[in-house]
Amino acid sequence: MPTSIRDQMFQEMKNKRIFEQARQYAYEYSDTIRNREVYPTEDALNRLEKLNSELPETPTDAELLLEDLHHIGSPNTVAQIGGRYFGLVNGGVVPAALAARWLSDFWDQNTPLYVTSPIVSHLEQITEQWLRQLLGLPDNIVAGFVSGSSMAILCGLAAGRYRLFKNLNWDINTQGFYGAPEIRIVAGRHAHGTVVKAAALLGFGIDNIQWVDCDEQGRIKTEEIPVLDDRTLLILQAGNVNSGAFDDFSTICKKAKDAGSWVHIDGAFGLWAAATEKLNHLTQGMEDANSFSVDGHKTLNTPYDNGVILCGDQEALVKALQASGAYILYNEKRDGMMYTPEMSRRARVVELWATLKYLGKSGVDELVYGLHQRATQFAEELKAEGFTVLNDVVFNQILVGFDDETLTAQVIENIQASRECWVGGGSWHGKPVIRISVCSWATTKEDISRCVDAFVSARDLSMEPQMSMPVLSE
Ligand SMILES: *Cc1c(COP(=O)(O)O)cnc(C)c1O
């Protein structure tokens, strides 16, 4: 018997029983997930309480811990990799990326510097170049590998803030906002909530954002953008989070560039339209922007915790994000922390690299365009069943609504309760809507038809007279 937890851990690493156990559970999970309820059952949710316990005084047996995690935890996941989950904008997962992640989990690399992980530094360099190529971006673009678009947007706006101030002979890093010349953020009213948050975090103040109206699809109205100048940080969107609509980059980016403004494009899921010839008309002209934020974990289906900031002004990005310390040994090779706010980071680029390597250009094309095809199918089948689709399905997002607002909420509730598929709600031009985001490679044509059936049943159920209501008679 081992005498200390340290001895025990050496044994665990040596006999590998818990890793085999975890692997078996993972396979059991993935073998059943396509046919499981998309959302945990009431019964499963009730069992979550079984996890409640005091912090243990002494070590817990690892096998028992994994058993609990699987038997209580797995049924309480949403079946995101199953093909019938359409909430938020949530991607599935590419198997090769998952496998690469398993391997790199054993490496347990910390990745701020070349010296802390040569392999990660090297993969970051390769992936940066592939991203430029795939998205049709210029050679001066550098990439920072961050947790997601929230963080990537913050980085892009921080770089823009640094540059605009610097051009006005003001160093925002050392001098801060006190007494600074005025610069402004201009954004469309449909800008994502994380853009607003970044503006707040960076000290601009949400009330100081200059809002521009959007058209019925959620695109910024080009003609209503105020006169641009070298004190303007303009935020555009590749993919409205509700409708999937793209701003008119060809017209706006060039103008903004000539005026000396900084343009950031929030392309969390939509930037990938640039990677397929069949959809890259949507992102045309975006290459004139200064910075771009994009997720791996949405459209590209990498595992979670995968976002990228792409920036054409290396100096501004590094100045905005670089930390220093006497023990930080910078290298002439790539030091990832120069391009990210964090210092310690996991090796997330491994999964992005593996996804791109595995899919190749044609695989990315098939994946991205496939999402659009499934979304189009979804919209067409819904219309054929008498539903109203409120947006032009230009990418992967579909909005459905009823004139009767309570019916919209009822249908969402019934769909969710059916656990056949999962869709969320949202607000579109002031009215509640059903949001559908087709974002997983695992969603098949058959899945879509099955989900349309679930929509029909949910609507029928909502229209039925309520059984519990007393029938009034004369
Ligand atoms: C999802 C999303 C974000 C936020 O990205 P995270 O990866 O969740 O941090 C920002 N903008 C848009 C348009 C999004 O769809």
Side-chain angles (χ1 to χ4, degrees):
M1 276 298 280
T3 52
S4 70
I5 192 69
R6 183 166 173 274
D7 288 344
Q8 178 114 6
M9 289 194 280
F10 272 125
Q11 279 209 3
E12 238 93 70
M13 290 306 277
K14 190 153 177 254
N15 69 33
K16 312 204 174 39
R17 279 208 303 270
I18 54 172
F19 299 111
E20 290 299 336
Q21 187 189 352
R23 193 169 69 157
Q24 267 181 22
Y25 289 155
Y27 293 167
E28 201 178 294
Y29 184 81
S30 69
D31 283 344
T32 51
I33 200 68
R34 277 195 64 81
N35 293 314
R36 208 200 73 183
E37 296 87 355
V38 174
Y39 200 80
T41 59
E42 285 303 323
D43 195 42
L45 290 166
N46 288 334
R47 269 182 287 135
L48 277 174
E49 284 195 8
K50 292 196 173 164
L51 290 174
N52 299 357
S53 76
E54 297 292 321
L55 174 66
E57 294 292 338
T58 55
T60 303
D61 182 87
E63 288 177 39
L64 291 178
L65 174 162
L66 287 170
E67 212 174 289
D68 274 358
L69 189 62
H70 180 52
H71 290 128
I72 303 173
S74 294
N76 275 301
T77 58
V78 296
Q80 187 158 291
I81 65 169
R84 285 175 286 121
Y85 184 85
F86 305 100
L88 305 177
V89 186
N90 280 3
V93 68
V94 168
L98 203 49
R101 177 169 181 162
W102 273 13
L103 174 59
S104 71
D105 275 347
F106 272 76
W107 297 349
D108 191 32
Q109 297 290 278
N110 188 16
T111 68
L113 301 167
Y114 176 84
V115 294
T116 62
S117 184
I119 173 61
V120 167
S121 164
H122 199 71
L123 289 180
E124 285 195 353
Q125 209 170 331
I126 292 169
T127 306
E128 177 183 87
Q129 197 222 318
W130 287 357
L131 288 171
R132 280 196 295 262
Q133 201 186 336
L134 199 53
L135 298 170
L137 295 173
D139 289 343
N140 63 336
I141 293 279
V142 293
F145 298 95
V146 293
S147 55
S149 279
S150 309
M151 198 46 80
I153 290 166
L154 184 76
C155 296
L157 301 199
R161 185 182 72 158
Y162 176 85
R163 177 54 68 208
L164 292 181
F165 274 127
K166 196 68 188 165
N167 288 346
L168 296 167
N169 292 316
W170 189 266
D171 184 338
I172 186 68
N173 285 338
T174 54
Q175 295 171 278
F177 265 110
Y178 298 108
E182 214 167 278
I183 68 169
R184 62 176 176 173
I185 290 186
V186 174
R189 286 197 191 278
H190 282 245
H192 195 267
T194 53
V195 168
V196 178
K197 178 154 85 179
L201 284 171
L202 290 169
F204 284 94
I206 296 169
D207 289 349
N208 297 320
I209 298 175
Q210 221 170 312
W211 297 109
V212 182
D213 283 341
C214 292
D215 66 14
E216 80 285 356
Q217 295 296 322
R219 292 172 297 223
I220 197 167
K221 283 187 176 166
T222 306
E223 65 284 3
E224 293 196 12
I225 295 174
V227 177
L228 296 170
D229 55 23
D230 60 358
R231 294 165 177 244
T232 304
L233 230 164
L234 175 65
I235 297 164
L236 301 177
Q237 289 197 98
N240 178 296
V241 76
N242 290 312
S243 69
F246 291 66
D247 290 337
D248 177 6
F249 305 128
S250 312
T251 313
I252 308 167
C253 293
K254 180 75 177 53
K255 248 190 222 165
K257 190 179 185 178
D258 293 343
S261 304
W262 180 286
V263 178
H264 178 85
I265 296 180
D266 171 11
F269 63 97
L271 212 69
W272 295 105
T276 164
E277 274 179 17
K278 300 174 202 98
L279 295 173
N280 66 8
H281 57 274
L282 295 168
T283 55
Q284 212 174 357
M286 75 165 185
E287 58 282 354
D288 279 324
N290 304 81
S291 55
F292 310 81
S293 41
V294 63
D295 278 324
H297 54 220
K298 292 180 178 172
T299 315
L300 196 66
N301 283 224
T302 68
Y304 266 90
D305 188 47
N306 224 302
V308 189
I309 170 65
L310 296 156
C311 182
D313 185 336
Q314 178 176 19
E315 187 190 57
L317 189 69
V318 172
K319 289 278 189 195
L321 303 179
Q322 184 179 18
S324 56
Y327 69 103
I328 299 176
L329 305 170
Y330 286 115
N331 196 282
E332 72 281 0
K333 301 257 179 42
R334 182 189 164 92
D335 291 314
M337 69 175 277
M338 312 257 287
Y339 309 100
T340 63
E342 318 95 303
M343 185 166 173
S344 297
R345 269 182 317 152
R346 62 177 207 86
R348 57 172 69 98
V349 77
V350 170
E351 295 124 54
L352 184 53
W353 170 84
T355 302
L356 294 174
K357 176 105 178 165
Y358 173 77
L359 293 172
K361 284 190 210 169
S362 71
V364 171
D365 184 278
E366 188 184 326
L367 169 68
V368 177
Y369 190 62
L371 300 178
H372 174 62
Q373 287 175 308
R374 301 288 101 77
T376 307
Q377 180 200 344
F378 212 143
E380 290 311 317
E381 291 188 13
L382 282 172
K383 282 190 225 167
E385 292 290 350
F387 288 88
T388 307
V389 172
L390 300 165
N391 65 317
D392 296 342
V393 182
V394 294
F395 200 51
N396 67 326
Q397 302 289 115
I398 309 154
L399 299 173
V400 178
F402 297 91
D403 287 336
D404 176 357
E405 300 188 0
T406 53
L407 188 57
T408 305
Q410 261 289 307
V411 170
I412 294 176
E413 206 179 302
N414 290 342
I415 291 171
Q416 291 185 352
S418 78
R419 291 172 165 80
E420 268 287 285
C421 65
W422 203 95
V423 292
S427 168
W428 187 243
H429 298 302
K431 287 191 72 167
V433 288
I434 307 175
R435 285 181 77 255
I436 304 169
S437 178
V438 182
C439 210
S440 170
W441 67 264
T443 299
T444 63
K445 280 185 191 169
E446 293 71 31
D447 286 326
I448 300 286
S449 299
R450 185 170 163 183
C451 295
V452 171
D453 288 346
F455 268 71
V456 172
S457 305
R459 181 185 55 190
D460 290 350
L461 200 60
S462 311
M463 311 258 253
E464 266 173 25
Q466 298 286 305
M467 299 306 283
S468 56
M469 295 267 280
V471 181
L472 296 176
S473 54
E474 300 292 311

